[in-house]
Amino acid sequence: MTESIALLTIFVLAAFVGVEVISKVSSTLHTPLMSGANAIHGVILVGAIIVTGQADSAIVVVVGLLAVVLATVNMVGGFVVTDRMLQMFKGPGARKKELRK
């Protein structure tokens, strides 16, 4: 019981630190930060797959599959947002050339 309270405390503190760090980032650094976050989400996805593969009970499998789905959506969504942000920095001529391909 004490271990689960310690883990919950670490999780809550990490969430507060994450919110504070992200809120202080300027908009010009958002795209590189998003790319780094996508790499982290890839690691989270691999971890969720490994944990789900070694599950012993049905509830762990269900929670693991939910984690895999959410990590996948988060990672793919991050790449889509990053790509759209990078498209904003291209000139109008470059966008038209890509649409023709």
Side-chain angles (χ1 to χ4, degrees):
M1 183 67 177
T2 305
E3 182 180 336
S4 60
I5 292 174
L7 290 174
L8 180 64
T9 303
I10 291 170
F11 176 76
V12 169
L13 290 174
F16 282 128
V17 169
V19 167
E20 285 298 315
V21 168
I22 296 299
S23 66
K24 304 293 189 246
V25 173
S26 68
S27 59
T28 56
L29 293 176
H30 188 270
T31 301
L33 180 66
M34 196 73 185
S35 298
N38 289 336
I40 293 169
H41 294 151
V43 172
I44 292 170
L45 177 60
V46 170
I49 291 170
I50 290 171
V51 169
T52 304
Q54 296 178 353
D56 292 334
S57 67
I59 188 74
V60 176
V61 171
V62 169
V63 172
L65 287 174
L66 180 65
V68 169
V69 168
L70 292 176
T72 302
V73 168
N74 200 5
M75 188 176 72
V76 171
F79 280 116
V80 169
V81 168
T82 302
D83 185 55
R84 290 190 71 186
M85 288 181 69
L86 291 174
Q87 293 294 325
M88 291 174 19
F89 292 106
K90 292 184 178 180
R95 288 186 207 145
K96 289 178 183 177
K97 287 179 186 176
E98 285 187 11
L99 291 175
R100 290 182 197 153
K101 289 182 182 181

Coordinates of all heavy atoms in Angstrom, one line a residue:
M1 N 0.8 -1.2 0.0 CA 0.0 0.0 0.0 C 0.9 1.3 0.0 O 0.6 2.2 -0.7 CB -0.9 0.0 1.2 CG -1.9 1.1 1.3 SD -3.0 1.0 -0.1 CE -4.1 2.4 0.3
T2 N 1.9 1.2 0.8 CA 2.8 2.4 0.9 C 3.5 2.6 -0.5 O 3.7 3.8 -0.9 CB 3.9 2.2 2.0 OG1 3.2 1.9 3.2 CG2 4.8 3.4 2.1
E3 N 3.8 1.5 -1.2 CA 4.5 1.7 -2.5 C 3.6 2.3 -3.5 O 4.0 3.2 -4.3 CB 5.0 0.3 -3.0 CG 5.7 0.4 -4.3 CD 6.1 -1.0 -4.8 OE1 6.3 -1.9 -3.9 OE2 6.3 -1.1 -6.0
S4 N 2.3 2.0 -3.5 CA 1.4 2.6 -4.4 C 1.2 4.0 -4.1 O 1.0 4.8 -5.0 CB 0.1 1.8 -4.4 OG -0.5 1.8 -3.1
I5 N 1.2 4.4 -2.9 CA 1.0 5.8 -2.5 C 2.3 6.6 -3.0 O 2.2 7.7 -3.5 CB 0.8 6.0 -1.0 CG1 -0.6 5.5 -0.6 CG2 0.9 7.5 -0.6 CD1 -0.9 5.4 0.8
A6 N 3.4 6.0 -2.8 CA 4.7 6.6 -3.3 C 4.7 6.8 -4.8 O 5.1 7.9 -5.3 CB 5.9 5.8 -2.8
L7 N 4.2 5.8 -5.5 CA 4.1 5.9 -7.0 C 3.1 6.9 -7.4 O 3.4 7.7 -8.4 CB 3.8 4.5 -7.6 CG 4.9 3.4 -7.5 CD1 4.3 2.1 -8.0 CD2 6.1 3.8 -8.2
L8 N 2.0 7.0 -6.7 CA 1.0 8.0 -7.0 C 1.6 9.4 -6.8 O 1.3 10.4 -7.6 CB -0.3 7.8 -6.2 CG -1.4 8.8 -6.5 CD1 -1.9 8.7 -7.9 CD2 -2.5 8.6 -5.5
T9 N 2.3 9.6 -5.7 CA 2.9 10.9 -5.4 C 3.9 11.3 -6.5 O 3.9 12.4 -6.9 CB 3.6 10.8 -4.0 OG1 2.7 10.4 -3.0 CG2 4.2 12.1 -3.6
I10 N 4.7 10.3 -6.9 CA 5.7 10.6 -8.0 C 5.0 11.0 -9.3 O 5.4 12.0 -10.0 CB 6.6 9.4 -8.2 CG1 7.5 9.2 -7.0 CG2 7.4 9.6 -9.5 CD1 8.3 7.9 -7.0
F11 N 3.9 10.3 -9.6 CA 3.1 10.6 -10.8 C 2.5 12.1 -10.7 O 2.6 12.8 -11.7 CB 2.0 9.6 -11.0 CG 1.1 9.9 -12.1 CD1 1.5 9.7 -13.4 CD2 -0.2 10.5 -11.9 CE1 0.7 10.0 -14.5 CE2 -1.0 10.7 -13.0 CZ -0.5 10.5 -14.3
V12 N 2.0 12.4 -9.6 CA 1.3 13.7 -9.4 C 2.4 14.8 -9.5 O 2.2 15.8 -10.2 CB 0.5 13.8 -8.1 CG1 0.1 15.3 -7.8 CG2 -0.7 12.9 -8.2
L13 N 3.6 14.6 -8.9 CA 4.6 15.6 -8.9 C 5.2 15.7 -10.3 O 5.5 16.8 -10.8 CB 5.8 15.2 -8.0 CG 5.4 15.4 -6.5 CD1 6.6 14.8 -5.6 CD2 5.2 16.8 -6.1
A14 N 5.3 14.6 -11.1 CA 5.8 14.7 -12.5 C 4.8 15.4 -13.3 O 5.2 16.2 -14.2 CB 6.0 13.2 -13.0
A15 N 3.5 15.3 -13.1 CA 2.5 16.0 -13.9 C 2.6 17.5 -13.6 O 2.6 18.3 -14.6 CB 1.1 15.5 -13.5
F16 N 2.8 17.9 -12.4 CA 3.0 19.3 -12.1 C 4.2 19.9 -12.7 O 4.2 21.0 -13.3 CB 3.0 19.6 -10.5 CG 1.6 19.5 -9.9 CD1 1.4 18.7 -8.8 CD2 0.6 20.3 -10.4 CE1 0.1 18.7 -8.2 CE2 -0.7 20.3 -9.8 CZ -0.9 19.5 -8.7
V17 N 5.3 19.2 -12.6 CA 6.6 19.6 -13.2 C 6.4 19.7 -14.7 O 6.8 20.7 -15.4 CB 7.7 18.7 -12.9 CG1 9.0 19.0 -13.7 CG2 8.1 18.8 -11.4
G18 N 5.8 18.7 -15.4 CA 5.5 18.8 -16.8 C 4.7 19.9 -17.2 O 5.0 20.6 -18.2
V19 N 3.7 20.3 -16.5 CA 2.8 21.4 -16.9 C 3.6 22.7 -16.7 O 3.6 23.6 -17.6 CB 1.6 21.5 -16.0 CG1 0.9 22.8 -16.1 CG2 0.6 20.3 -16.3
E20 N 4.4 22.8 -15.7 CA 5.2 24.0 -15.5 C 6.3 24.2 -16.6 O 6.5 25.3 -17.1 CB 5.9 24.0 -14.1 CG 5.0 24.3 -13.0 CD 4.4 25.7 -13.1 OE1 5.1 26.7 -13.4 OE2 3.1 25.8 -12.9
V21 N 6.9 23.1 -17.0 CA 8.0 23.2 -18.0 C 7.3 23.5 -19.4 O 7.8 24.4 -20.1 CB 8.7 21.8 -18.1 CG1 9.6 21.7 -19.3 CG2 9.6 21.6 -16.8
I22 N 6.3 22.9 -19.7 CA 5.6 23.1 -21.0 C 5.1 24.5 -21.1 O 5.1 25.1 -22.2 CB 4.6 22.0 -21.3 CG1 5.2 20.6 -21.4 CG2 3.8 22.3 -22.6 CD1 6.2 20.5 -22.5
S23 N 4.5 25.0 -20.1 CA 3.9 26.3 -20.1 C 4.9 27.4 -20.3 O 4.6 28.5 -20.7 CB 3.0 26.6 -18.9 OG 3.9 26.6 -17.7
K24 N 6.2 27.2 -20.0 CA 7.2 28.2 -20.1 C 7.9 28.2 -21.5 O 8.8 29.0 -21.7 CB 8.3 28.0 -19.0 CG 7.8 28.0 -17.6 CD 7.2 29.3 -17.1 CE 6.9 29.3 -15.7 NZ 5.5 29.4 -15.3
V25 N 7.5 27.3 -22.3 CA 8.2 27.2 -23.6 C 7.6 28.2 -24.6 O 6.4 28.3 -24.7 CB 8.0 25.7 -24.2 CG1 8.5 25.6 -25.6 CG2 8.7 24.7 -23.3
S26 N 8.5 28.9 -25.3 CA 8.0 29.9 -26.3 C 7.5 29.2 -27.5 O 7.9 28.0 -27.8 CB 9.2 30.9 -26.6 OG 10.1 30.2 -27.4
S27 N 6.7 29.9 -28.3 CA 6.1 29.3 -29.5 C 7.1 28.9 -30.5 O 6.9 28.0 -31.3 CB 5.0 30.2 -30.0 OG 5.6 31.4 -30.4
T28 N 8.3 29.6 -30.6 CA 9.3 29.3 -31.6 C 10.0 27.9 -31.3 O 10.5 27.3 -32.2 CB 10.3 30.4 -31.7 OG1 10.9 30.6 -30.4 CG2 9.7 31.7 -32.2
L29 N 9.9 27.5 -30.1 CA 10.6 26.2 -29.7 C 9.6 25.1 -29.7 O 10.0 24.0 -29.4 CB 11.2 26.4 -28.3 CG 12.4 27.3 -28.2 CD1 12.9 27.4 -26.8 CD2 13.5 26.8 -29.1
H30 N 8.3 25.4 -30.0 CA 7.3 24.3 -29.9 C 7.5 23.2 -30.8 O 7.4 22.0 -30.4 CB 5.9 24.9 -30.1 CG 4.8 24.0 -29.8 ND1 4.3 23.1 -30.8 CD2 4.2 23.7 -28.7 CE1 3.4 22.4 -30.2 NE2 3.3 22.7 -29.0
T31 N 7.9 23.4 -32.1 CA 8.1 22.3 -33.1 C 9.3 21.4 -32.7 O 9.1 20.2 -32.7 CB 8.3 22.9 -34.5 OG1 7.2 23.7 -34.8 CG2 8.5 21.8 -35.5
P32 N 10.5 21.9 -32.3 CA 11.5 21.0 -31.9 C 11.1 20.2 -30.6 O 11.4 19.1 -30.5 CB 12.7 21.9 -31.6 CG 12.4 23.2 -32.3 CD 11.0 23.3 -32.4
L33 N 10.4 20.9 -29.7 CA 10.0 20.2 -28.5 C 9.0 19.1 -28.8 O 9.0 18.0 -28.2 CB 9.3 21.2 -27.5 CG 8.8 20.7 -26.2 CD1 10.0 20.2 -25.4 CD2 8.1 21.7 -25.4
M34 N 8.1 19.4 -29.8 CA 7.1 18.4 -30.2 C 7.8 17.2 -30.8 O 7.4 16.0 -30.6 CB 6.2 19.0 -31.2 CG 4.9 18.3 -31.5 SD 3.9 18.4 -30.0 CE 2.6 17.4 -30.5
S35 N 8.9 17.4 -31.6 CA 9.6 16.3 -32.2 C 10.2 15.4 -31.1 O 10.2 14.2 -31.2 CB 10.7 16.8 -33.1 OG 10.1 17.5 -34.2
G36 N 10.8 16.0 -30.1 CA 11.3 15.3 -28.9 C 10.3 14.5 -28.2 O 10.5 13.4 -27.8
A37 N 9.1 15.1 -28.0 CA 8.0 14.5 -27.3 C 7.5 13.3 -28.1 O 7.1 12.2 -27.6 CB 6.9 15.4 -27.1
N38 N 7.6 13.4 -29.5 CA 7.2 12.2 -30.3 C 8.1 11.0 -30.1 O 7.7 9.9 -30.1 CB 7.1 12.6 -31.8 CG 6.0 13.5 -32.1 OD1 5.0 13.5 -31.4 ND2 6.1 14.3 -33.1
A39 N 9.4 11.3 -29.9 CA 10.3 10.2 -29.6 C 10.0 9.6 -28.3 O 10.1 8.3 -28.2 CB 11.8 10.8 -29.7
I40 N 9.7 10.4 -27.3 CA 9.4 9.8 -26.0 C 8.1 9.0 -26.1 O 8.0 7.9 -25.5 CB 9.2 11.0 -25.0 CG1 10.5 11.7 -24.7 CG2 8.6 10.5 -23.7 CD1 10.5 12.9 -24.0
H41 N 7.1 9.5 -26.9 CA 5.9 8.7 -27.0 C 6.1 7.4 -27.7 O 5.4 6.4 -27.4 CB 4.8 9.5 -27.8 CG 4.4 10.7 -27.1 ND1 3.9 11.8 -27.7 CD2 4.3 11.0 -25.7 CE1 3.6 12.8 -26.8 NE2 3.8 12.3 -25.6
G42 N 7.1 7.3 -28.6 CA 7.5 6.0 -29.2 C 8.0 5.1 -28.1 O 7.7 3.9 -28.2
V43 N 8.8 5.6 -27.2 CA 9.3 4.7 -26.1 C 8.2 4.2 -25.2 O 8.1 3.1 -24.8 CB 10.4 5.5 -25.3 CG1 10.8 4.7 -24.1 CG2 11.6 5.8 -26.2
I44 N 7.2 5.1 -25.0 CA 6.1 4.8 -24.1 C 5.3 3.7 -24.8 O 4.8 2.7 -24.2 CB 5.2 6.0 -23.9 CG1 6.0 7.0 -22.9 CG2 3.9 5.6 -23.2 CD1 5.3 8.3 -22.8
L45 N 5.1 3.8 -26.2 CA 4.4 2.8 -26.9 C 5.0 1.4 -26.8 O 4.4 0.4 -26.6 CB 4.2 3.2 -28.4 CG 3.5 2.3 -29.3 CD1 2.1 2.0 -28.8 CD2 3.5 2.8 -30.7
V46 N 6.4 1.4 -27.0 CA 7.1 0.1 -26.9 C 6.9 -0.5 -25.5 O 6.7 -1.7 -25.3 CB 8.6 0.3 -27.2 CG1 9.4 -0.9 -26.9 CG2 8.7 0.7 -28.7
G47 N 7.0 0.4 -24.5 CA 6.8 -0.1 -23.1 C 5.4 -0.7 -22.8 O 5.3 -1.7 -22.2
A48 N 4.4 0.0 -23.4 CA 3.1 -0.5 -23.2 C 2.9 -1.8 -23.9 O 2.2 -2.7 -23.4 CB 2.1 0.5 -23.8
I49 N 3.5 -2.0 -25.1 CA 3.4 -3.3 -25.8 C 4.1 -4.4 -25.0 O 3.6 -5.5 -24.9 CB 4.0 -3.1 -27.2 CG1 3.1 -2.2 -28.1 CG2 4.2 -4.5 -27.9 CD1 3.8 -1.9 -29.4
I50 N 5.3 -4.1 -24.4 CA 6.0 -5.1 -23.7 C 5.2 -5.5 -22.4 O 5.1 -6.7 -22.1 CB 7.4 -4.6 -23.3 CG1 8.3 -4.5 -24.5 CG2 8.0 -5.4 -22.2 CD1 9.6 -3.8 -24.3
V51 N 4.7 -4.5 -21.7 CA 3.9 -4.8 -20.5 C 2.6 -5.6 -20.8 O 2.3 -6.6 -20.1 CB 3.6 -3.5 -19.7 CG1 2.5 -3.7 -18.6 CG2 4.8 -2.9 -19.2
T52 N 2.0 -5.2 -21.9 CA 0.8 -5.9 -22.3 C 1.1 -7.4 -22.7 O 0.3 -8.3 -22.4 CB 0.0 -5.2 -23.4 OG1 -0.2 -3.8 -23.0 CG2 -1.3 -5.9 -23.8
G53 N 2.2 -7.6 -23.4 CA 2.6 -8.9 -23.8 C 2.9 -9.8 -22.7 O 2.8 -11.0 -22.8
Q54 N 3.3 -9.3 -21.5 CA 3.7 -10.1 -20.4 C 2.6 -10.1 -19.3 O 2.8 -10.6 -18.2 CB 5.0 -9.5 -19.7 CG 6.2 -9.7 -20.6 CD 7.4 -9.1 -20.0 OE1 7.4 -8.5 -19.0 NE2 8.5 -9.3 -20.7
A55 N 1.4 -9.7 -19.7 CA 0.3 -9.6 -18.7 C -0.2 -11.0 -18.3 O -0.2 -11.9 -19.1 CB -0.9 -8.8 -19.3
D56 N -0.6 -11.1 -17.0 CA -1.1 -12.4 -16.5 C -2.6 -12.4 -16.3 O -3.2 -13.5 -16.3 CB -0.4 -12.6 -15.1 CG 1.1 -12.9 -15.2 OD1 1.5 -13.3 -16.3 OD2 1.8 -12.6 -14.3
S57 N -3.2 -11.3 -16.1 CA -4.6 -11.3 -15.9 C -5.4 -10.5 -17.0 O -4.7 -9.7 -17.7 CB -5.0 -10.7 -14.5 OG -4.6 -9.3 -14.5
A58 N -6.6 -10.7 -17.1 CA -7.4 -10.0 -18.1 C -7.5 -8.5 -17.9 O -7.4 -7.7 -18.9 CB -8.8 -10.6 -18.1
I59 N -7.6 -8.0 -16.7 CA -7.6 -6.6 -16.5 C -6.3 -5.9 -16.9 O -6.4 -4.8 -17.4 CB -8.0 -6.3 -15.0 CG1 -8.3 -4.8 -14.8 CG2 -6.9 -6.7 -14.0 CD1 -9.6 -4.4 -15.3
V60 N -5.2 -6.6 -16.7 CA -3.9 -6.0 -17.1 C -3.9 -5.9 -18.6 O -3.4 -4.9 -19.2 CB -2.8 -6.8 -16.5 CG1 -1.4 -6.3 -17.0 CG2 -2.8 -6.8 -15.0
V61 N -4.4 -6.9 -19.3 CA -4.4 -6.9 -20.7 C -5.3 -5.8 -21.2 O -4.9 -5.1 -22.2 CB -4.9 -8.3 -21.3 CG1 -5.1 -8.2 -22.8 CG2 -3.9 -9.4 -21.0
V62 N -6.4 -5.6 -20.6 CA -7.4 -4.5 -21.1 C -6.7 -3.1 -20.9 O -6.7 -2.3 -21.8 CB -8.7 -4.6 -20.3 CG1 -9.6 -3.4 -20.6 CG2 -9.4 -5.9 -20.7
V63 N -6.1 -2.9 -19.7 CA -5.5 -1.7 -19.4 C -4.3 -1.5 -20.3 O -4.0 -0.4 -20.8 CB -5.1 -1.6 -17.9 CG1 -4.2 -0.3 -17.6 CG2 -6.3 -1.5 -17.0
G64 N -3.5 -2.5 -20.6 CA -2.4 -2.5 -21.5 C -2.8 -2.1 -22.9 O -2.2 -1.3 -23.6
L65 N -3.9 -2.7 -23.4 CA -4.3 -2.4 -24.7 C -4.8 -1.0 -24.8 O -4.6 -0.3 -25.8 CB -5.5 -3.4 -25.1 CG -5.0 -4.8 -25.5 CD1 -6.2 -5.7 -25.7 CD2 -4.1 -4.8 -26.6
L66 N -5.5 -0.5 -23.8 CA -5.9 0.9 -23.7 C -4.6 1.8 -23.8 O -4.6 2.8 -24.5 CB -6.7 1.2 -22.5 CG -7.2 2.6 -22.3 CD1 -8.2 2.9 -23.4 CD2 -7.8 2.8 -21.0
A67 N -3.6 1.4 -23.1 CA -2.4 2.2 -23.1 C -1.7 2.2 -24.5 O -1.2 3.2 -24.9 CB -1.4 1.7 -22.0
V68 N -1.7 1.1 -25.1 CA -1.2 1.0 -26.5 C -2.0 1.9 -27.4 O -1.4 2.6 -28.2 CB -1.2 -0.5 -27.0 CG1 -0.8 -0.6 -28.5 CG2 -0.2 -1.3 -26.2
V69 N -3.3 1.8 -27.4 CA -4.1 2.6 -28.3 C -3.9 4.1 -28.0 O -3.7 4.9 -28.9 CB -5.6 2.3 -28.1 CG1 -6.5 3.3 -28.8 CG2 -5.9 0.9 -28.6
L70 N -3.9 4.5 -26.7 CA -3.7 5.9 -26.4 C -2.3 6.4 -26.8 O -2.1 7.5 -27.3 CB -4.0 6.2 -24.9 CG -5.4 6.0 -24.5 CD1 -5.6 6.2 -23.0 CD2 -6.3 7.0 -25.2
A71 N -1.3 5.6 -26.6 CA 0.1 6.0 -26.9 C 0.2 6.1 -28.4 O 0.9 7.0 -28.9 CB 1.1 5.0 -26.4
T72 N -0.4 5.2 -29.2 CA -0.4 5.3 -30.6 C -1.1 6.6 -31.1 O -0.5 7.3 -32.0 CB -1.1 4.1 -31.2 OG1 -0.4 2.9 -30.8 CG2 -1.0 4.1 -32.8
V73 N -2.3 6.8 -30.6 CA -3.0 8.1 -31.0 C -2.2 9.3 -30.7 O -2.1 10.2 -31.5 CB -4.4 8.1 -30.4 CG1 -5.0 9.5 -30.5 CG2 -5.3 7.0 -30.9
N74 N -1.6 9.3 -29.5 CA -0.8 10.5 -29.1 C 0.5 10.7 -30.0 O 0.8 11.8 -30.4 CB -0.3 10.3 -27.6 CG 0.0 11.5 -27.0 OD1 -0.1 12.6 -27.5 ND2 0.5 11.4 -25.8
M75 N 1.1 9.6 -30.3 CA 2.3 9.7 -31.1 C 2.0 10.1 -32.6 O 2.6 11.0 -33.1 CB 3.1 8.3 -31.2 CG 4.4 8.4 -31.8 SD 5.3 6.8 -31.7 CE 4.4 5.8 -32.9
V76 N 1.0 9.5 -33.2 CA 0.6 9.8 -34.5 C 0.1 11.3 -34.6 O 0.4 12.0 -35.5 CB -0.4 8.8 -35.1 CG1 -1.0 9.3 -36.4 CG2 0.2 7.4 -35.2
G77 N -0.7 11.6 -33.6 CA -1.2 13.0 -33.6 C -0.1 14.0 -33.4 O -0.1 15.1 -34.0
G78 N 0.9 13.7 -32.7 CA 2.1 14.6 -32.5 C 2.8 14.8 -33.8 O 3.2 15.9 -34.2
F79 N 3.0 13.7 -34.6 CA 3.6 13.8 -35.9 C 2.8 14.6 -36.9 O 3.3 15.4 -37.6 CB 3.9 12.4 -36.5 CG 5.2 11.8 -35.9 CD1 5.1 10.6 -35.2 CD2 6.4 12.4 -36.1 CE1 6.2 10.0 -34.7 CE2 7.5 11.8 -35.5 CZ 7.4 10.6 -34.8
V80 N 1.5 14.5 -36.8 CA 0.6 15.2 -37.7 C 0.6 16.7 -37.4 O 0.8 17.6 -38.3 CB -0.9 14.7 -37.6 CG1 -1.8 15.6 -38.3 CG2 -1.0 13.3 -38.2
V81 N 0.6 17.0 -36.1 CA 0.7 18.4 -35.7 C 2.0 19.0 -36.0 O 2.1 20.2 -36.5 CB 0.4 18.6 -34.1 CG1 0.8 20.0 -33.6 CG2 -1.0 18.2 -33.8
T82 N 3.1 18.3 -35.8 CA 4.4 18.8 -36.2 C 4.5 19.1 -37.7 O 5.1 20.1 -38.1 CB 5.5 17.8 -35.7 OG1 5.4 17.6 -34.3 CG2 6.9 18.3 -36.1
D83 N 4.0 18.1 -38.5 CA 4.0 18.3 -39.9 C 3.2 19.5 -40.3 O 3.7 20.3 -41.2 CB 3.5 17.1 -40.6 CG 3.6 17.1 -42.1 OD1 4.8 17.4 -42.6 OD2 2.6 17.0 -42.8
R84 N 2.1 19.7 -39.8 CA 1.3 20.9 -40.1 C 2.0 22.2 -39.7 O 1.9 23.2 -40.4 CB -0.1 20.8 -39.5 CG -0.9 19.7 -40.1 CD -2.3 19.8 -39.7 NE -3.0 20.9 -40.3 CZ -4.2 21.3 -40.0 NH1 -4.9 20.6 -39.1 NH2 -4.7 22.4 -40.5
M85 N 2.6 22.2 -38.6 CA 3.4 23.4 -38.1 C 4.5 23.7 -39.1 O 4.8 24.8 -39.4 CB 3.9 23.2 -36.7 CG 2.8 23.3 -35.7 SD 3.4 23.1 -34.0 CE 4.2 24.7 -33.8
L86 N 5.2 22.6 -39.5 CA 6.3 22.9 -40.4 C 5.8 23.4 -41.8 O 6.5 24.1 -42.5 CB 7.1 21.6 -40.6 CG 7.9 21.2 -39.4 CD1 8.6 19.8 -39.6 CD2 9.0 22.2 -39.0
Q87 N 4.6 22.9 -42.2 CA 4.1 23.4 -43.5 C 3.8 24.9 -43.4 O 3.8 25.6 -44.4 CB 2.8 22.7 -43.8 CG 2.9 21.2 -44.1 CD 3.7 21.0 -45.4 OE1 3.6 21.7 -46.3 NE2 4.5 19.9 -45.4
M88 N 3.5 25.4 -42.2 CA 3.3 26.9 -42.1 C 4.5 27.7 -42.4 O 4.4 28.9 -42.8 CB 2.8 27.2 -40.7 CG 1.4 26.6 -40.4 SD 0.8 26.8 -38.7 CE 1.8 28.1 -38.0
F89 N 5.7 27.1 -42.3 CA 6.9 27.9 -42.5 C 7.4 27.9 -44.0 O 8.3 28.5 -44.3 CB 8.0 27.4 -41.6 CG 7.8 27.7 -40.2 CD1 7.4 26.7 -39.3 CD2 7.9 29.0 -39.7 CE1 7.2 27.0 -38.0 CE2 7.7 29.3 -38.3 CZ 7.3 28.2 -37.5
K90 N 6.7 27.1 -44.8 CA 7.0 27.0 -46.2 C 6.3 28.1 -47.0 O 5.2 28.5 -46.6 CB 6.7 25.6 -46.8 CG 7.5 24.5 -46.2 CD 7.2 23.2 -46.9 CE 8.1 22.1 -46.4 NZ 7.8 20.8 -47.0
G91 N 6.9 28.5 -48.1 CA 6.3 29.5 -48.9 C 5.1 29.0 -49.7 O 4.9 27.7 -49.8
P92 N 4.2 29.8 -50.2 CA 3.1 29.3 -51.0 C 3.5 28.5 -52.2 O 2.8 27.5 -52.6 CB 2.4 30.6 -51.4 CG 2.9 31.7 -50.7 CD 4.3 31.3 -50.1
G93 N 4.6 28.8 -52.9 CA 5.0 28.0 -54.0 C 5.4 26.6 -53.6 O 5.1 25.6 -54.4
A94 N 6.0 26.4 -52.5 CA 6.5 25.1 -52.1 C 5.2 24.2 -51.7 O 5.2 23.0 -52.0 CB 7.4 25.2 -50.8
R95 N 4.2 24.8 -51.2 CA 3.0 24.1 -50.9 C 2.3 23.6 -52.1 O 1.8 22.5 -52.2 CB 2.0 24.9 -50.1 CG 2.5 25.2 -48.6 CD 1.4 25.9 -47.9 NE 2.1 26.6 -46.8 CZ 1.7 27.8 -46.3 NH1 0.6 28.4 -46.9 NH2 2.3 28.4 -45.4
K96 N 2.3 24.4 -53.2 CA 1.6 24.0 -54.4 C 2.4 22.9 -55.1 O 1.8 22.0 -55.7 CB 1.5 25.2 -55.4 CG 0.5 26.3 -54.9 CD 0.5 27.4 -55.9 CE -0.5 28.5 -55.3 NZ -0.5 29.7 -56.2
K97 N 3.7 22.9 -55.0 CA 4.5 21.9 -55.6 C 4.3 20.5 -54.9 O 4.2 19.5 -55.6 CB 6.0 22.2 -55.5 CG 6.4 23.3 -56.5 CD 7.9 23.6 -56.3 CE 8.3 24.8 -57.2 NZ 9.7 25.1 -57.0
E98 N 4.1 20.5 -53.6 CA 3.8 19.3 -52.9 C 2.5 18.8 -53.2 O 2.3 17.5 -53.2 CB 4.0 19.5 -51.4 CG 5.4 19.6 -51.0 CD 5.6 19.7 -49.5 OE1 4.6 19.4 -48.7 OE2 6.7 20.0 -49.0
L99 N 1.5 19.6 -53.4 CA 0.2 19.2 -53.8 C 0.1 18.5 -55.1 O -0.7 17.6 -55.4 CB -0.8 20.4 -53.7 CG -1.1 20.9 -52.3 CD1 -2.0 22.2 -52.4 CD2 -1.7 19.9 -51.4
R100 N 1.0 18.9 -56.0 CA 1.0 18.3 -57.4 C 1.5 16.9 -57.4 O 1.3 16.2 -58.3 CB 1.8 19.2 -58.3 CG 1.2 20.5 -58.6 CD 2.0 21.3 -59.6 NE 1.6 22.7 -59.6 CZ 2.4 23.7 -59.8 NH1 3.6 23.5 -60.2 NH2 1.9 24.9 -59.8
K101 N 2.3 16.5 -56.4 CA 3.0 15.2 -56.4 C 2.0 14.1 -56.3 O 1.0 14.0 -55.9 CB 4.0 15.1 -55.3 CG 5.2 16.0 -55.6 CD 6.2 15.8 -54.5 CE 7.4 16.7 -54.7 NZ 8.4 16.6 -53.7

